[in-house]
Amino acid sequence: MIWLKRSFLALLAVALWVVLSLLFLSKERLCNGAVEAAASKGVTLCYDGRTASMLGCRLERTTVLYGHAPVAKVGLALFTPWKIEISKIRLEGLAASMLPPKIATVRFEPLGGTIYAEGDFGVLRGDVAWSGRRVNLELTPSSLMKREFGATLREFRQKNGKYTYALSF
C-alpha cells in the first residue's frame, strides 16, 4: 500500500510542476518566441499593440507579410501555453485569390492537438498526431467556397460532402 501512496505523490508532484511551469513561464518570452518563430519561416508580423499578461500574450491589429508581400490583416492574436487563437482575419494579395478573404477565427490547442477554423470558406476541423507526426484536416466548405474556389478544393479529397487533407511533418 505504501508504494501506491508514493506513486500517487510522485505523479501529483510531476503534474504540479507542469502546471506551475506553464503558469510562471515568461509571457514576454512566449510573445517573442511567436514572433521569432514566424520570422524564421520568412513571415513578418507588424503589430500596433502588444500586451503580455499572467495568462498569455496579445497582439492587436497585426499585418502579416511573407517576404515583403502582404498576406493578411489580423484583428487579434492571443498566445498562451495551451492555446493559440487568432480572430478577425482578412486575407490580402495572393492568399485572397486562393481562399475567401474573411476568416472569423482560427484556434490551435497544442496539448490536445486540435485545430478549428471558421470563416467564409466554411468550417475546418483538424487534429495533430504528435507521435505519428501527422496532421489531418476536414473541411466542410461553404457555398461560396464551392462556387468560386474550386481550384483550392481540388487539393482536398472529397468524401461524403466533406473534404479531407492529410500531411506529415
Side-chain angles (χ1 to χ4, degrees):
M1 190 65 166
I2 192 80
W3 63 271
L4 184 62
K5 184 178 178 181
R6 287 182 182 165
S7 298
F8 178 72
L9 286 175
L11 186 63
L12 183 64
V14 169
L16 185 64
W17 178 77
V18 168
V19 168
L20 290 177
S21 294
L22 290 175
L23 185 62
F24 292 116
L25 176 74
S26 170
K27 303 314 182 271
E28 195 66 34
R29 279 189 177 177
L30 182 68
C31 214
N32 289 339
V35 172
E36 289 173 11
S40 70
K41 304 287 188 218
V43 176
T44 305
L45 302 175
C46 303
Y47 50 86
D48 286 341
R50 174 175 161 166
T51 308
S53 68
M54 188 70 168
L55 297 176
C57 174
R58 292 170 61 117
L59 298 179
E60 298 171 354
R61 296 175 305 280
T62 305
T63 301
V64 180
L65 305 169
Y66 185 73
H68 295 291
V71 175
K73 290 198 183 283
V74 175
L76 177 68
L78 177 64
F79 301 97
T80 64
W82 48 86
K83 180 172 65 170
I84 298 170
E85 190 164 356
I86 304 169
S87 57
K88 300 177 187 171
I89 303 166
R90 177 127 181 105
L91 298 177
E92 297 178 340
L94 187 60
S97 66
M98 295 187 325
L99 285 171
K102 290 185 182 177
I103 300 174
T105 183
V106 175
R107 185 174 53 244
F108 173 56
E109 297 171 359
L111 296 177
T114 59
I115 301 169
Y116 177 80
E118 184 177 358
D120 287 348
F121 60 87
V123 176
L124 179 79
R125 286 181 170 74
D127 57 38
V128 179
W130 296 111
S131 61
R133 298 180 53 161
R134 192 151 179 82
V135 178
N136 295 313
L137 302 173
E138 182 179 280
L139 174 66
T140 305
S142 65
S143 59
L144 173 69
M145 183 74 177
K146 287 180 182 178
R147 188 175 59 245
E148 295 183 21
F149 299 94
T152 303
L153 282 177
R154 282 192 285 276
E155 296 296 319
F156 288 77
R157 290 185 182 169
Q158 185 179 9
K159 184 176 182 183
N160 298 331
K162 296 188 181 195
Y163 294 80
T164 59
Y165 189 78
L167 64 117
S168 53
F169 58 93

